[in-house]
Amino acid sequence: MDRKTPPCDLLPPFPPDQSLVELKTITHPAAIRSTSATLVLPSQDLSTYLANELSTRRLSRLHKYLWLAGLPVPARPLHRQRLMNRAIVVTERADEHLVWHEHRVFVKPLPAFLLCHSFWESHLCGDKHLHASACGMLLSYVWLVAHRSDFGIAVAEGLMPPGVTWERWTFCAHEVLGALDLESMADVDLRYQYGELRLSRLDMLTRWPLVAPETWSPRSFVDGYMSSSTWYKAFFERHFSWLLVGFVYVSVILSALQVGLSTNVLSANSDFQNFGLGVTVAGLAALCLALGSIILVWVVLFCYHLLSTIVFDRRMRLERAKKGQEKRS
């Protein structure tokens, strides 16, 4: 494993006697899938593995606009999340940690190596950005696990490393709070200056090219912040369900006009007849426009996914062939 020499001003946020995990007991995965859809082997490239585990660079790029997605306050503890009828959904990506959508909140399990003082000295204190991300992740768990009931939920959901007790976690959390600057939040990554973040707002920020033009791409516009279901049915239900509500209101209006035209008074009123004719034509035009838009979006999405898949498949084939030739030579 590669070791980094820690700068003199970067230290673990807790003393050695409050380390809850021993270095020899830490077990990293054999391999993980990185954000670029490649395999990362911690045994061969520990720094890349740690960056994938802790980095919140996507949210840091959106920091100036994160006030649209959340408040600069600590996240609610786990028992409050349950009280708000939010299901705790495990994610292994740090940039999805504490993102919520409807009745779900995504939480990344606390990595065991963050509770090991020796690991901090060997691998985290040598990189300023990695150190800030690690401090932010640890601080987020101080927010989430504030009461014994929160600790019980964390253990039941598999969020805490095995072997950690409530008493030892409380002492460690006390040291973390004392080591970090909680007023300026200068010790943590920019993302952790905010608590919970709303997924729908993050989707909006990701799709808008003027927010982060250096990272914008057609894929970010289609997928949003978090790529969920790839089924077209789920996509249209998520983005076009409001059309159904509009059609219900139009149907009610047209039914009321039909009832009015069946009466003797309004049936002889030319102004009311013209109004009803205009509303009917406008409703039919809106229906045709909506159906045409849905068909157009479906065609565009189908062509985009087809072409992007072909390009990605070709690029991966060329890269694997190139690496195969390099190994043979």
Side-chain angles (χ1 to χ4, degrees):
M1 293 183 179
D2 51 339
R3 301 173 69 92
K4 297 180 178 179
T5 303
C8 59
D9 58 337
L10 292 181
L11 297 172
F14 53 88
D17 60 339
Q18 294 299 332
S19 183
L20 305 185
V21 175
E22 296 184 7
L23 183 61
K24 62 182 179 180
T25 63
I26 297 176
T27 303
H28 300 296
I32 65 168
R33 186 178 186 267
S34 69
T35 55
S36 57
T38 59
L39 281 182
V40 175
L41 280 62
S43 59
Q44 299 179 8
D45 193 354
L46 185 63
S47 59
T48 302
Y49 163 72
L50 293 177
N52 275 272
E53 283 290 289
L54 300 174
S55 176
T56 57
R57 188 166 298 177
R58 281 202 303 167
L59 289 172
S60 298
R61 294 193 185 105
L62 302 174
H63 178 257
K64 292 190 300 183
Y65 306 95
L66 285 184
W67 59 272
L68 288 169
L71 296 174
V73 295
R76 298 176 181 89
L78 292 176
H79 78 275
R80 295 297 302 179
Q81 303 289 346
R82 286 278 183 86
L83 195 64
M84 297 172 68
N85 201 27
R86 290 180 182 172
I88 298 172
V89 181
V90 172
T91 176
E92 290 294 347
R93 293 187 56 169
D95 54 12
E96 296 172 353
H97 181 56
L98 296 183
V99 174
W100 67 275
H101 177 63
E102 295 179 351
H103 297 296
R104 298 179 298 167
V105 58
F106 304 98
V107 181
K108 176 178 172 60
L110 181 62
F113 58 77
L114 289 185
L115 300 178
C116 178
H117 186 274
S118 300
F119 192 91
W120 276 82
E121 291 185 326
S122 302
H123 305 290
L124 298 177
C125 292
D127 187 308
K128 181 179 179 180
H129 298 290
L130 204 59
H131 183 273
S133 297
C135 288
M137 175 63 69
L138 200 54
L139 178 62
S140 73
Y141 264 85
V142 176
W143 297 338
L144 291 174
V145 185
H147 305 271
R148 185 181 289 272
S149 58
D150 302 319
F151 185 81
I153 296 173
V155 172
E157 296 289 343
L159 302 178
M160 296 292 288
V164 178
T165 63
W166 163 245
E167 290 75 17
R168 296 188 67 193
W169 164 252
T170 303
F171 291 134
C172 181
H174 183 269
E175 295 292 341
V176 171
L177 292 174
L180 299 179
D181 185 356
L182 301 179
E183 294 184 359
S184 66
M185 300 292 283
D187 299 325
V188 300
D189 187 83
L190 293 175
R191 180 267 173 268
Y192 294 102
Q193 294 185 7
Y194 291 82
E196 303 148 49
L197 299 174
R198 187 195 295 258
L199 178 58
S200 59
R201 304 285 176 81
L202 292 177
D203 285 337
M204 179 188 67
L205 293 174
T206 304
R207 291 189 170 105
W208 187 246
L210 298 180
V211 173
E214 68 279 2
T215 59
W216 188 89
S217 66
R219 177 168 291 276
S220 64
F221 180 79
V222 174
D223 293 340
Y225 184 76
M226 284 178 61
S227 178
S228 53
S229 175
T230 55
W231 288 68
Y232 290 113
K233 177 183 177 182
F235 176 85
F236 286 110
E237 286 178 350
R238 187 166 62 249
H239 296 283
F240 290 93
S241 57
W242 59 271
L243 284 176
L244 181 61
V245 178
F247 287 143
V248 169
Y249 281 107
V250 172
S251 298
V252 172
I253 294 174
L254 291 177
S255 299
L257 290 174
Q258 186 176 7
V259 172
L261 290 173
S262 63
T263 61
N264 295 328
V265 176
L266 294 179
S267 62
N269 191 315
S270 60
D271 293 335
F272 185 81
Q273 290 182 353
N274 292 332
F275 173 75
L277 177 62
V279 171
T280 303
V281 173
L284 292 175
L287 176 62
C288 295
L289 182 61
L291 292 177
S293 300
I294 292 175
I295 295 174
L296 179 62
V297 170
W298 183 86
V299 171
V300 171
L301 285 176
F302 179 81
C303 294
Y304 167 78
H305 286 124
L306 179 63
L307 294 176
S308 61
T309 301
I310 293 174
V311 172
F312 181 78
D313 179 73
R314 184 174 299 174
R315 188 178 79 241
M316 292 300 296
R317 287 174 181 269
L318 291 175
E319 289 181 0
R320 290 172 179 174
K322 183 179 179 180
K323 291 180 180 179
Q325 291 178 356
E326 291 176 353
K327 286 185 177 182
R328 286 193 295 269
S329 60

